[in-house]
Amino acid sequence: MPYPTPRPPAPNGPATCPRCLAQVIWCTTERQKAQMVDRDRDERGNQAVRQDHTGRWLVRQLSKDRPTPEGAEALHMPHAATCTAPPLPVHGTRRRMSAGRVRVGVRPHRWQR
C-alpha cells in the first residue's frame, strides 16, 4: 500500500477499562481528548455525560459557570478516581542512583583542562 493507514478513531462508548476490567464509558471532552467515566450514574460525580445525535458520548466537567447537569446530561464519576489498578509511574522524574553508584567526580576532557 503506497499510503500509510489512517489512525484509528478514539474509543467512544461503553467498554471495559484495560487495566482493572471495570465497566466504563469512553467519552470525548470539549478538547477532543478521550476520557473514561464509570458506567453507573453517580450523584457525587463531577462529570456531566451526554450522547449527541450522532451517537458520540461527550463529557464536560462541572464548573462555577455551569455547576449542574443540563438537558440530557447525567452525572458520572471519572474512572481515574475509582480505578482499582495501581497508578502508572510518572515519566520524566529523575531516579536517584543507589548508594553503590554515587559519582564523586568525573575526569575532565581535554578541552576542559
Side-chain angles (χ1 to χ4, degrees), residues 5-70:
T5 57
R7 178 183 294 176
N12 196 286
T16 57
C17 174
R19 299 183 62 222
C20 70
L21 303 178
Q23 299 296 317
V24 298
I25 301 173
W26 280 98
C27 299
T28 304
T29 65
E30 293 174 350
R31 296 183 180 235
Q32 304 304 313
K33 303 285 185 185
Q35 179 182 357
M36 285 190 291
V37 295
D38 290 339
R39 189 174 288 187
D40 299 328
R41 293 180 180 191
D42 190 350
E43 293 302 319
R44 298 174 296 143
N46 64 348
Q47 303 295 318
V49 178
R50 69 181 175 91
Q51 197 172 11
D52 68 359
H53 65 280
T54 63
R56 288 188 326 158
W57 292 82
L58 303 172
V59 64
R60 70 173 178 88
Q61 185 165 354
L62 298 181
S63 63
K64 290 181 181 177
D65 296 336
R66 297 166 65 190
T68 58
E70 302 166 352

Side-chain angles (χ1 to χ4, degrees), residues 1 10-11 19 23 27 33 47 51 68 73-78 82 87-91 99 106:
M1 183 183 305
R19 299 183 62 222
Q23 299 296 317
C27 299
K33 303 285 185 185
Q47 303 295 318
Q51 197 172 11
T68 58
E73 294 178 337
L75 288 179
H76 291 260
M77 283 290 281
T82 60
L88 292 173
V90 179
H91 297 292
V106 180

Side-chain angles (χ1 to χ4, degrees), residues 93-106:
T93 59
R94 301 189 119 202
R95 292 176 30 194
R96 290 185 161 203
M97 296 163 106
S98 64
R101 296 187 56 200
V102 174
R103 286 194 250 174
V104 176
V106 180

